[in-house]
Amino acid sequence: MVILLHIFDPQMVTIIDGKSLAQKLRRKIKEEVSKYLDSGNRAPHLAAILVGEDGASRTYVASKERDCDFVGFDSTVHRLPVDTSENELLDLIDSINSNDNIDGLIVQLPLPKHMDTSKVTDAIAPKIDVDGFHPVNVGRLTKNEDTYISATPFGIIMMLEEYGIETIGKHCVVIGRSNIVGRPMSILMSRGGYPGDSTVTICHRNTENLISHTSVADIVIVAVGIPHFLKGDMVKKGAVVIDVGITRVDADNAKGYELRGDADFNSLVNKCTAITPVPGGVGPMTRYGLLHNTLKSYKRKLNL
Ligand code: GUN
């Protein structure tokens, strides 16, 4: 009886399974790479630079290395001490830019405080800027030209498409205006075609009466880095919630921490038509996005 009630409930929620989708898409990349290798080509190669000892960044870079390994990419990680000078870092970027066998380069953010993040990311050659952070690639994104779309926004677009989430003519509220997520996300959701063509509102720390925006949104994308920031009473019934947050909070387990999203899943889940969990939602799709962009650069370089 309970099952029947669920079948006929128009508000039945879809939990968007980013983990499974990313696995499926990663396998596709692996198959494609294996064809290129069989035809005698070199493997795609991603280089990453990690400066300092930030625990979360170390974990992210290690998982990027594992992902490369899984799909058959080569990877090189340059782990630099926290007191590396900005010039040393820029020299390393220059040398990687001119290495023709490297298809993608990322500098893991955040950087130590003595470094100028824009100066560093602007030093990466646009053609291997698989994070899509260089002004040339950001410019192309805003003009709807072919580019590297940053991994998280790209992963979210792929999820919306795979799950057939309606976006055309819908009201999308993006909370957070970072260069990595909020801003590119707002551009993608407002561009013509599917997934996109939404009416987009971008909210941030100075937005007055945030709830007046979120409570009328069909889609809420939350990227503020504050655990459980978005609560059930802030969205309308039937909303789609995409949770970009992954904050480590202390926990009494073997790792000593657990991951919390920006959305308070428990209070939202019964109000939404679709929601991404944390972990297992946006995170794995971000990792997929980087592989996708690296493969794209490789294929461009080798004319495949
Ligand atoms: N730090 C948090 N997210 C990202 C990302 O997508 N790319 C890089 N390079 N650093 C990050």
Side-chain angles (χ1 to χ4, degrees), residues 233-258:
D233 61 4
M234 295 169 73
V235 305
K236 73 177 182 187
K237 203 162 166 52
V240 172
V241 170
I242 306 294
D243 184 354
V244 181
I246 321 180
T247 305
R248 288 180 176 200
V249 295
D250 291 343
D252 201 7
N253 59 21
K255 283 186 176 165
Y257 67 88
E258 63 183 28

Side-chain angles (χ1 to χ4, degrees), residues 114-268:
H114 66 279
M115 291 188 180
D116 176 341
T117 301
S118 283
K119 194 169 170 187
V120 170
T121 52
D122 291 5
I124 299 174
K127 65 179 190 313
I128 59 166
D129 166 41
V130 287
D131 258 330
F133 293 166
H134 191 283
V136 165
N137 288 322
V138 176
R140 287 194 181 127
L141 179 76
T142 62
K143 292 180 73 188
N144 208 8
E145 292 174 4
D146 189 35
T147 186
Y148 299 114
I149 301 174
S150 306
T152 302
F154 180 79
I156 293 172
I157 289 293
M158 293 292 287
M159 284 197 296
L160 296 174
E161 193 171 10
E162 174 79 11
Y163 278 82
I165 303 291
E166 286 179 40
T167 63
I168 298 174
K170 300 296 177 190
H171 183 191
C172 175
V173 166
V174 180
I175 316 177
R177 58 182 165 189
S178 71
N179 291 330
I180 299 184
V181 184
R183 219 181 293 271
M185 203 64 240
S186 65
I187 293 165
L188 290 166
M189 292 305 287
S190 63
R191 72 181 178 174
Y194 180 78
D197 257 326
S198 296
T199 303
V200 177
T201 303
I202 182 155
C203 298
H204 46 76
R205 66 183 75 244
N206 285 316
T207 297
E208 287 180 3
N209 199 1
L210 178 67
I211 198 167
S212 70
H213 302 287
T214 56
S215 61
V216 292
D218 301 300
I219 303 166
V220 181
I221 301 174
V222 58
V224 291
I226 303 171
H228 294 186
F229 177 80
L230 186 76
K231 309 271 187 211
D233 61 4
M234 295 169 73
V235 305
K236 73 177 182 187
K237 203 162 166 52
V240 172
V241 170
I242 306 294
D243 184 354
V244 181
I246 321 180
T247 305
R248 288 180 176 200
V249 295
D250 291 343
D252 201 7
N253 59 21
K255 283 186 176 165
Y257 67 88
E258 63 183 28
L259 300 177
R260 289 261 167 89
D262 288 352
D264 180 20
F265 187 90
N266 289 341
S267 71
L268 283 156

Side-chain angles (χ1 to χ4, degrees), residues 33-101:
V33 169
S34 127
K35 274 194 303 186
Y36 297 137
L37 296 180
D38 288 348
S39 324
N41 294 295
R42 67 166 174 83
H45 192 152
L46 175 69
I49 303 177
L50 172 63
V51 189
E53 298 291 326
D54 179 75
S57 292
R58 282 166 59 148
T59 308
Y60 293 144
V61 169
S63 48
K64 288 168 187 176
E65 249 182 316
R66 276 200 308 278
D67 290 342
C68 284
D69 211 34
F70 177 80
V71 297
F73 290 5
D74 289 335
S75 64
T76 305
V77 178
H78 301 266
R79 292 181 170 83
L80 307 182
V82 68
D83 59 358
T84 302
S85 74
E86 192 178 86
N87 278 337
E88 282 171 306
L89 176 59
L90 292 172
D91 285 347
L92 175 59
I93 292 173
D94 266 351
S95 73
I96 296 173
N97 282 341
S98 52
N99 181 341
D100 215 34
N101 288 322

Side-chain angles (χ1 to χ4, degrees), residues 6-58:
H6 267 287
I7 288 169
F8 294 110
D9 181 355
Q11 296 297 351
M12 201 171 83
V13 63
T14 299
I15 311 295
I16 299 179
D17 187 349
K19 189 173 172 190
S20 298
L21 177 58
Q23 250 162 16
K24 181 174 97 176
L25 295 169
R26 265 201 307 267
R27 266 188 232 117
K28 272 195 178 168
I29 291 191
K30 185 183 166 94
E31 282 164 23
E32 194 175 343
V33 169
S34 127
K35 274 194 303 186
Y36 297 137
L37 296 180
D38 288 348
S39 324
N41 294 295
R42 67 166 174 83
H45 192 152
L46 175 69
I49 303 177
L50 172 63
V51 189
E53 298 291 326
D54 179 75
S57 292
R58 282 166 59 148

